[in-house]
Amino acid sequence: MTELGDLAKVLRSKNSGPFEITLDVLFDSKEQYDRVKQSGIITKRTICELYQIREEQIHHLVFFDQALGFKITMSRDISSGSVGDRDVYGAQQHAPLMKLSIKHFEEG
């Protein structure tokens, strides 16, 4: 198995307004993108488990074939800049995705 962080060219997080975080994952080859997409691991359920959130907190999970990437937008627990917010820019929230294991097609 290979980790998503090793397959993606870009794996980042950022604010999508003060109440949401967006995770962007982009690939530099169609083969890598297809491998991740076809693995079936990128689901709302997986994201909920990784981020310890409820499914209704995920607003979007979209694959963009033309861009060789996918985007996940989810609610923040604390609005950006509020007391208790530890990542005002949302720039450190991609870390759980980096270690996500992606199976090879042959492994099933």
Side-chain angles (χ1 to χ4, degrees):
M1 288 204 216
T2 306
E3 293 177 349
L4 183 59
D6 294 328
L7 296 172
K9 171 84 172 176
V10 175
L11 204 160
R12 65 183 175 212
S13 60
K14 59 189 175 189
N15 282 340
S16 179
F19 306 108
E20 293 179 327
I21 296 281
T22 291
L23 306 166
D24 295 318
V25 183
L26 302 167
F27 301 86
D28 61 0
S29 79
K30 184 167 177 13
E31 292 75 27
Q32 300 291 55
Y33 170 73
D34 286 341
R35 175 178 172 188
V36 172
K37 184 178 178 182
Q38 293 173 12
S39 74
I41 194 72
I42 307 301
T43 64
K44 286 185 175 184
R45 182 176 181 181
T46 300
I47 301 308
C48 288
E49 290 172 5
L50 282 176
Y51 287 90
Q52 299 297 296
I53 61 173
R54 298 176 319 280
E55 190 168 325
E56 57 268 12
Q57 288 179 267
I58 299 174
H59 300 176
H60 303 285
L61 192 160
V62 182
F63 284 88
F64 295 103
D65 294 343
Q66 303 88 334
L68 301 178
F70 64 91
K71 177 181 290 268
I72 302 162
T73 303
M74 57 191 177
S75 299
R76 292 179 63 111
D77 287 332
I78 299 173
S79 65
S80 178
S82 294
V83 173
D85 179 24
R86 296 177 290 157
D87 185 8
V88 73
Y89 298 110
Q92 300 176 40
Q93 303 307 309
H94 60 284
L97 274 181
M98 293 174 67
K99 297 292 184 186
L100 186 63
S101 293
I102 308 295
K103 290 183 179 181
H104 294 281
F105 291 130
E106 307 84 54
E107 293 175 1

